[in-house]
Amino acid sequence: MKGLGLGVQRNMFLIFSLLTLILIVASFSFFYSYLANRLKNDAKANMEQLTTSMSERIDLFYGELNHITFQIINSPDLLEIMEQADESDNLDNYFGWNTQIGRKANNYLATIKGPNNHVSRIRLYNNHGDYTSLGMAPENMDAIRSHLQSRSYQEFYQRIIENDNIHFVGPHADPFAENEPGQVVSFYRVFRNYLETFGIIEIQLTVPEFAATLGITDNADLKAYIFDKDGQPAYQKTGNGPQEEITLDRLLDHFVADNEKSVNLSENVITYRQSVASQWHIFLAEPKSVLLAPVKVVGRLIVIVSFAFILLSLIMIYMISKQLTKRMRKTVDLIREVSLDNLSLKLDPSVDEIHLINKAITGMFERLKASMEKEVQAHSRELRARINALESQMDPHFLYNVLSVIGSVGEDAGVPKVMELCEKLGAMFRYTSQHQDKEVTVHDELTYARLYLDLMKVRFEDHFQYQVEIDESSLSSKVPRLIFQPLIENCFRHAFRKPAPPWIIHLALKQTADHHWLFEVKDWGDGFDPAALDKFQRRIESYDRYNAKDKRNVQEFSGNEGGGGVGLFNIFMRLRLTYEERAFHEIVTNRPNGTIVRIGVKRTNIEAR
């Protein structure tokens, strides 16, 4: 007995330990996966947000440059000064020997530059060597004169004045600096009126000022690669890693055609954005080991917590399994003591397992007995219903024989029309009594509907007319039985009550790009009352298609529709039962009067394509 208890305890411990281990590992793995993806996405989103911010700052700075240069170009005083400098015959710097004019130009440039402007220097010069500048760093006049007279400057000047765009020159040494030249960036624009060119404008920033304008952070691990619209390097911050030449084409080759905003390039995560106005290209790169460091920390923490949870769970499972098997052993010992001589149990008030087992078994037999009684009653009711149905049926062969006798009498009496009508009516009886639980073809349904129309034509003669249009490609499709004729019967029962004859019905069967088959019944009768039609449509829309699978519900809802229980609602629900979401039904008003009813089967998306 002790060995049995230990075996149960061991199996219980192993099973629950395995389940708990799987649950903990799966839960923490899912949590780690979710958290790691969240941290990765947040890190990439932060880099993308920084890239977008830099793009916007570049466009904003370009707007400031446009504003500054337009102020300079549209200043009448500066335009007059530059025009006079261009016309001067003096070979020396026009602004140097004409100090009053130079001071006036610099004062105006100072009002444009302002104390809070990001620009470090503004220069005006032409191709004659005339030059003026506003900035804090001292300049070497000899270097300025030599540079303005050089051939390279003249070629550069001709390139700048070719158009009115802002021209950018990336980090370079300032040739006009007095001391050791530092790295600067320059933006150039031609100074002209509508007819003549008088010089160029240079707006200069030191590289640190340019980086601050772009919003470059002090993160030592963050790399920045910025290119102008022509693909020339504008600024590069390579961080603490090895220096390597990065080109725009090399970076763009790692981006897919669907405008993905972040990719892995070697050991870095790179984000990219092209500014809207200036069309500059901004790339930010950060090592994956740095960017995803929080993910590793979280992973280690989750591993430690998982081991702690597993250890605690194993201890708890061992204690619980030990207590459970201890009670089981006591219960088995009490059951073994029961015999013919001893039908009583000496129960420990603290151990109630026997009472629970006895109560559970007793309840199980009571429920089983109740279920068997219900099953017997249901079977009896079903059997009685079948017997009643058989008793209430009339032998269809009796109807066929009677119709044959009537047709023969009519033929003998010289009235062949009676024979024709009896044959058509017999064919209709035969159709309705055969294959009640099977689908039929569209061709069979149309044949049955035409028999009905022929009988109505005989009955109403010239008071009734009908037209039929058939697309023969739809005739082989399978459909539920008796869905076409009731739509036609509704015209006689409802649409033609009040209007004077002749009454007209138009039938159409066709295939469309959206439908396997589409059957349309059009009449020129009374038409639906708008309120009744709206109520009917809402009834259709609110009916849950899953509840429609209960045939009794369909019959209950359609009982008041007429047509022997086969009303419009019944037809629509049968279509939904058969074709589910592909079923199509529609009721619209026929202008100027009457109704159009359409039913059909829609194609799937793949079939429609």
Side-chain angles (χ1 to χ4, degrees), residues 75-293:
S75 169
D77 294 337
L78 285 178
L79 185 61
E80 182 181 358
I81 291 173
M82 292 299 291
E83 185 176 1
Q84 292 174 357
D86 184 65
E87 295 174 352
S88 174
D89 296 331
N90 196 324
L91 298 179
D92 293 331
N93 182 8
Y94 179 76
F95 298 96
W97 61 266
N98 196 336
T99 57
Q100 182 178 0
I101 294 297
R103 196 163 39 249
K104 181 178 179 181
N106 285 347
N107 287 339
Y108 189 79
L109 294 178
T111 60
I112 295 176
K113 181 177 180 298
N116 298 322
N117 202 294
H118 300 297
V119 175
S120 60
R121 181 173 295 278
I122 302 178
R123 290 175 176 149
L124 298 176
Y125 42 83
N126 57 24
N127 62 339
H128 303 310
D130 301 318
Y131 165 86
T132 184
S133 172
L134 178 67
M136 297 296 295
E139 296 180 311
N140 188 326
M141 299 308 297
D142 293 335
I144 294 172
R145 187 179 304 107
S146 174
H147 178 76
L148 295 180
Q149 293 176 354
S150 65
R151 182 175 180 178
S152 61
Y153 167 73
Q154 295 297 326
E155 294 175 352
F156 173 77
Y157 182 87
Q158 294 300 322
R159 288 199 308 271
I160 296 299
I161 65 174
E162 287 179 356
N163 55 63
D164 293 330
N165 297 331
I166 293 178
H167 299 265
F168 172 77
V169 176
H172 62 281
D174 185 5
F176 299 165
E178 175 68 28
N179 301 319
E180 184 69 23
Q183 292 288 308
V184 296
V185 295
S186 299
F187 298 86
Y188 297 90
R189 191 166 207 161
V190 63
F191 192 122
R192 75 172 82 194
N193 60 12
Y194 293 105
L195 299 176
E196 298 180 83
T197 299
F198 302 112
I200 58 176
I201 306 167
E202 178 187 1
I203 298 177
Q204 189 180 95
L205 289 83
T206 63
V207 170
E209 289 174 336
F210 186 51
T213 302
L214 298 177
I216 303 295
T217 64
D218 295 331
N219 185 353
D221 296 308
L222 182 66
K223 302 176 183 179
Y225 304 95
I226 301 175
F227 302 87
D228 66 6
K229 64 180 181 179
D230 298 322
Q232 300 302 316
Y235 179 83
Q236 291 193 4
K237 175 177 176 290
T238 56
N240 296 328
Q243 304 293 324
E244 58 177 330
E245 183 179 356
I246 301 293
T247 63
L248 177 61
D249 292 337
R250 178 183 173 188
L251 290 171
L252 289 178
D253 286 343
H254 291 82
F255 285 82
V256 294
D258 58 353
N259 296 325
E260 188 176 332
K261 293 297 185 297
S262 62
V263 295
N264 292 331
L265 176 63
S266 184
E267 296 300 323
N268 296 300
V269 174
I270 299 181
T271 57
Y272 165 68
R273 174 74 69 175
Q274 185 176 17
S275 60
V276 177
S278 60
Q279 297 296 302
W280 280 32
H281 305 271
I282 301 96
F283 297 86
L284 293 183
E286 190 168 0
K288 289 188 288 186
S289 59
V290 176
L291 186 66
L292 305 180

Side-chain angles (χ1 to χ4, degrees), residues 437-440 477-483 517 545 548-549 551 554 570-585 600-602:
D437 298 328
K438 297 182 180 179
E439 291 184 340
V440 297
S477 300
K478 293 290 186 178
V479 296
R481 208 169 53 88
L482 294 178
I483 60 171
W517 60 266
R545 73 180 183 89
K549 291 182 179 179
K551 303 293 192 300
V554 173
N570 184 292
I571 293 173
F572 292 172
M573 287 302 99
R574 289 171 64 206
L575 284 173
R576 293 181 65 182
L577 286 171
T578 305
Y579 302 108
E580 298 181 346
E581 298 299 331
R582 296 171 58 209
F584 172 78
H585 46 75
V601 176
K602 294 183 287 189

Side-chain angles (χ1 to χ4, degrees), residues 23-39 295 298-299 301-303 305-306:
L23 180 62
I24 292 176
V25 172
S27 300
F28 279 94
S29 299
F30 174 77
F31 178 72
Y32 171 75
S33 177
Y34 169 78
L35 195 59
N37 288 333
R38 182 67 180 271
L39 292 174
V295 177
V298 171
L301 182 61
I302 288 179
V303 170
V305 174
S306 300

